[in-house]
Amino acid sequence: MNKEFQIVLEEIESLISSNTSEKLTLICQILKEKIYHYDWVGFYILKDGQLILGPYSGKPTEHTQIAIGKGVCGQVAKKKETIVVQDVSQIDNYISCSIDVQSEIVVPILKNDKFIAEIDIDSHSPAPFTKQDVIFLEKICGLVTELF
């Protein structure tokens, strides 16, 4: 993992083990502020068979509920696997939160192999996500499992 991701990961580990409230909100803010290509960061939480928007950092979105299977977020909930989209214009089932979004990564949060939530990150940069982003975000999702 690169040094930038390692530093941010350590900050998030420290936050999760602290007595701070609003940990998910603070994680969103840290990721958006510290990783240059993370322009919108949010958590969608599974509730009553729908993905419900939880804490996020970035411009408000009208997509506060997403059906399982719909869009990238819904596909991640269904497949329980990380999805990286380097060019959102190439996705038929894409749900656009903003005309500025060029790429997206969505990582599931699993508890006992059951999907419970996900982290969704939009980028205004073309194709910025690497294997390092996947490793970094999957580690974060492993850490935040205990917050659900």
Side-chain angles (χ1 to χ4, degrees), residues 72 84-104 123 125-127:
V72 178
V84 177
V85 179
Q86 299 289 16
D87 181 355
V88 297
S89 71
Q90 301 300 307
I91 301 295
D92 292 336
N93 192 14
Y94 185 69
I95 301 171
S96 178
C97 288
S98 159
I99 60 168
D100 298 323
V101 176
Q102 293 191 39
S103 50
E104 180 175 26
S123 181
S125 302

Side-chain angles (χ1 to χ4, degrees), residues 22-30 32 39-45 52-64 97 119-120 122:
E22 305 298 322
K23 291 177 184 179
L24 292 177
T25 300
L26 292 170
I27 289 168
C28 291
Q29 291 170 353
I30 290 167
K32 184 177 180 301
D39 295 300
W40 189 94
V41 179
F43 288 95
Y44 281 94
I45 301 159
I52 306 300
L53 181 61
Y56 69 92
S57 183
K59 291 181 181 176
T61 178
E62 62 188 47
H63 302 290
T64 58
C97 288
I119 190 166
D120 177 20
D122 294 339

Side-chain angles (χ1 to χ4, degrees), residues 15 18-24 26:
L15 171 69
S18 74
N19 289 329
T20 307
S21 62
E22 305 298 322
K23 291 177 184 179
L24 292 177
L26 292 170

